C-alpha cells in the first residue's frame, strides 16, 4: 500500500547549493519528515544568477528537481499528495502594480519581494546579460533578489505535473505563530521557529527528532525549517488553510488558518526539549530553565553560572 507524502520546496538557485526539499508524512497525528540526505541520489545543485536568466537552464533544473522527487517517492514507496513551494508560481499580471497576495502581505506587516511582470522580467534579464557582457561581477548583477523567481516559475510548472502545487511563504507562517519573531538568520532563531511549528505538527519532540533534522534535506538549518514549514502547509486540509490574495485569479499565498492555530491542541506546549542541548526535557516549560542552564546544559559556553544563564536567556527566552 502506497504511503502519502507532502512536499515542501524552499526554492533556491545558488551555485554549489543543493535545493532544500522536505518530504513529510502524517503518522498518528504528527508530521514526520523522511530522511533523504543518505539516499543514493541527491537534490540537484543550483546554477547561480549568471545562468538563471537563461530559460533552458531553468527548465533543465526544474526537470532535475522533478526527477529527484520522483526518485525519493519511489524509494519510499510513496505518492506525492501536494507540494508547497516557497516562490511565486508565475509573473505578476501586467494589469497590476503589485500582486494581490503581496499587497495583502505588506498590509499585514509581512515584507516580501515584489514579483515583476513578464515584460519587466524580460527587461531584467537583458540588464543582467548586458552587465555580464561588460565584465560585471556576478555578485553585483541587477535585481539579484528577484532572479531566483525565474527558477521558481519553471519548478512550479514541472512539479504541477506530479501533484497539486501551492504557493507558500514560510515567513508568513511563522509570523502567524510568532508575530515579533526576529529574522531567521539570527542566532538560534531557526530553532525557535521550528519549536513554534512543532506545537502544531508534533515534530520535533525528542532528542532523536532533533538529530534527524540534519538528514531531512539539503541546506542550512533555516533552509530546512523553511522547507518543513512549506510541507506543513501542503499537508493541511482546505478547511485548515487561509490565503493572502485572491483565489479566483490564482494570485494567492496559502497559510495556516487562524482558526486552526486557535483550536488545534498544542502538542509540545509544556513538555519541551531544551533548545540548547536538545537532551533535557522540561516537564513544564519554562519552569526550571535557570537551574538547568546554570548547572547541566551542554549546549552553552563555559563560564560562571550567571554567564551561562545570561547566554540561555539571550538566546532562547
Amino acid at each position: 500500500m502506497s504511503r502519502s507524502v507532502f512536499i515542501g520546496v524552499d526554492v533556491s538557485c545558488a551555485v554549489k547549493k543543493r535545493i532544500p526539499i522536505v518530504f513529510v508524512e502524517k503518522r498518528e497525528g504528527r508530521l514526520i519528515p523522511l530522511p533523504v540526505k543518505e539516499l543514493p541520489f541527491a537534490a540537484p545543485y543550483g546554477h547561480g544568477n549568471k545562468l538563471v536568466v537563461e530559460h533552458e537552464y531553468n527548465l533543465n533544473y526544474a526537470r532535475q528537481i522533478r526527477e529527484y522527487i520522483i526518485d525519493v517517492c519511489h524509494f519510499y514507496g510513496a505518492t506525492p499528495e501536494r507540494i508547497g513551494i516557497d516562490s511565486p508560481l508565475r509573473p505578476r499580471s501586467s494589469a497590476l502594480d503589485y500582486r494581490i497576495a503581496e499587497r495583502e502581505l505588506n498590509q499585514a506587516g509581512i515584507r516580501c519581494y515584489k514579483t515583476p511582470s513578464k515584460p519587466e522580467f524580460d527587461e531584467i534579464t537583458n540588464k543582467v546579460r548586458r552587465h555580464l557582457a561588460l565584465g560585471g561581477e556576478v555578485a553585483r548583477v541587477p535585481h539579484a533578489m528577484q532572479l531566483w523567481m525565474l527558477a521558481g516559475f519553471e519548478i512550479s510548472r514541472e512539479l504541477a505535473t506530479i501533484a497539486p502545487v501551492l504557493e507558500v511563504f514560510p515567513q508568513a507562517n511563522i509570523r502567524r505563530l510568532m508575530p515579533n519573531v526576529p529574522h531567521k538568520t539570527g542566532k538560534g532563531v531557526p530553532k525557535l521557529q521550528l519549536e513554534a511549528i512543532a506545537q502544531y505538527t508534533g515534530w520535533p519532540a525528542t532528542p532523536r527528532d532533533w538529530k534527524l533534522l540534519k538528514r531531512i534535506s539539503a541546506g542550512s538549518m533555516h533552509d530546512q525549517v523553511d522547507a518543513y514549514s512549506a510541507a506543513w502547509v501542503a499537508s493541511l486540509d482546505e478547511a485548515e488553510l487561509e490565503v493572502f490574495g485572491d483565489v479566483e485569479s490564482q494570485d494567492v499565498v496559502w497559510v495556516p488558518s487562524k482558526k486552526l492555530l486557535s483550536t488545534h491542541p498544542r502538542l509540545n506546549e509544556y513538555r519541551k526539549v531544551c533548545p540548547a542541548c536538545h537532551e533535557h526535557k522540561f516537564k513544564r516549560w519554562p519552569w526550571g530553565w535557570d537551574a538547568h542552564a546554570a548547572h547541566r546544559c551542554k549546549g552553552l559556553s563555559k563560564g560562571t553560572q550567571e554567564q551561562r544563564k545570561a547566554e540561555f536567556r539571550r538566546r532562547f527566552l
Side-chain angles (χ1 to χ4, degrees):
M1 183 176 180
S2 179
R3 308 157 71 175
S4 293
V5 294
F6 302 90
I7 301 166
V9 182
D10 181 29
V11 171
S12 68
C13 60
V15 175
K16 296 183 179 180
K17 177 180 178 180
R18 296 191 186 276
I19 185 169
I21 304 175
V22 168
F23 301 74
V24 300
E25 62 177 344
K26 295 180 178 179
R27 299 183 200 162
E28 299 177 351
R30 302 177 68 215
L31 196 66
I32 310 298
L34 303 177
V36 298
K37 289 285 290 293
E38 297 170 6
L39 297 184
F41 38 81
Y45 286 111
H47 43 269
N49 283 343
K50 181 177 181 180
L51 297 176
V52 76
V53 295
E54 306 300 336
H55 176 72
E56 286 304 315
Y57 281 94
N58 291 327
L59 190 59
N60 183 55
Y61 184 44
R63 288 170 176 167
Q64 290 176 8
I65 292 168
R66 179 179 180 272
E67 291 306 310
Y68 168 71
I69 288 176
I70 290 173
D71 286 343
V72 172
C73 289
H74 283 172
F75 181 89
Y76 280 108
T79 299
E81 295 294 331
R82 192 182 298 131
I83 303 171
I85 297 183
D86 178 16
S87 167
L89 306 187
R90 59 189 64 83
R92 187 187 81 248
S93 168
S94 297
L96 301 174
D97 59 346
Y98 268 88
R99 288 183 57 201
I100 301 170
E102 291 167 354
R103 183 180 297 280
E104 292 187 4
L105 285 167
N106 285 326
Q107 289 172 346
I110 304 171
R111 295 182 59 186
C112 58
Y113 292 108
K114 183 178 181 180
T115 303
S117 64
K118 175 64 167 62
E120 288 171 339
F121 261 125
D122 290 342
E123 183 178 347
I124 286 171
T125 56
N126 288 333
K127 282 184 182 180
V128 172
R129 288 169 181 153
R130 286 196 298 270
H131 170 86
L132 295 172
L134 293 172
E137 297 178 18
V138 175
R140 296 182 178 273
V141 295
H143 303 276
M145 300 311 296
Q146 294 167 310
L147 293 178
W148 60 273
M149 298 180 188
L150 293 169
F153 299 154
E154 296 307 321
I155 293 168
S156 65
R157 290 190 188 105
E158 278 294 319
L159 299 192
T161 65
I162 59 177
V165 168
L166 300 181
E167 179 182 346
V168 303
F169 188 29
Q171 179 66 8
N173 300 343
I174 203 65
R175 285 290 297 277
R176 288 213 149 180
L177 301 177
M178 306 169 68
N180 298 313
V181 65
H183 192 269
K184 63 185 180 182
T185 55
K187 185 176 181 180
V189 174
K191 292 180 182 177
L192 294 178
Q193 293 184 347
L194 186 54
E195 287 166 355
I197 294 170
Q199 293 185 12
Y200 300 92
T201 65
W203 188 95
T206 68
R208 183 178 180 182
D209 289 344
W210 280 99
K211 290 178 181 178
L212 178 63
L213 177 61
K214 297 178 181 179
R215 301 166 55 200
I216 68 171
S217 80
S220 65
M221 184 175 182
H222 76 71
D223 295 324
Q224 294 170 319
V225 172
D226 280 353
Y228 181 71
S229 179
W232 173 39
V233 174
S235 75
L236 296 175
D237 297 332
E238 184 175 346
E240 299 173 321
L241 292 167
E242 291 178 3
V243 301
F244 287 94
D246 178 65
V247 175
E248 186 173 345
S249 62
Q250 298 184 324
D251 184 349
V252 293
V253 170
W254 296 87
V255 295
S257 71
K258 292 180 179 178
K259 181 179 180 181
L260 169 71
L261 301 184
S262 64
T263 61
H264 192 284
R266 297 194 177 189
L267 302 177
N268 293 339
E269 184 171 16
Y270 297 116
R271 294 186 64 82
K272 173 171 176 165
V273 174
C274 174
C277 67
H278 306 305
E279 295 180 1
H280 178 74
K281 183 175 289 187
F282 294 95
K283 293 181 178 179
R284 191 171 179 85
W285 171 263
W287 297 350
W289 73 266
D290 49 349
H292 172 68
H295 300 288
R296 294 182 296 276
C297 185
K298 299 177 182 178
L300 301 176
S301 304
K302 294 182 179 179
T304 66
Q305 294 178 15
E306 291 305 316
Q307 287 172 335
R308 288 165 59 82
K309 287 194 290 185
E311 179 185 349
F312 193 96
R313 185 186 298 107
R314 183 178 67 252
R315 290 171 58 187
F316 304 114
L317 295 181

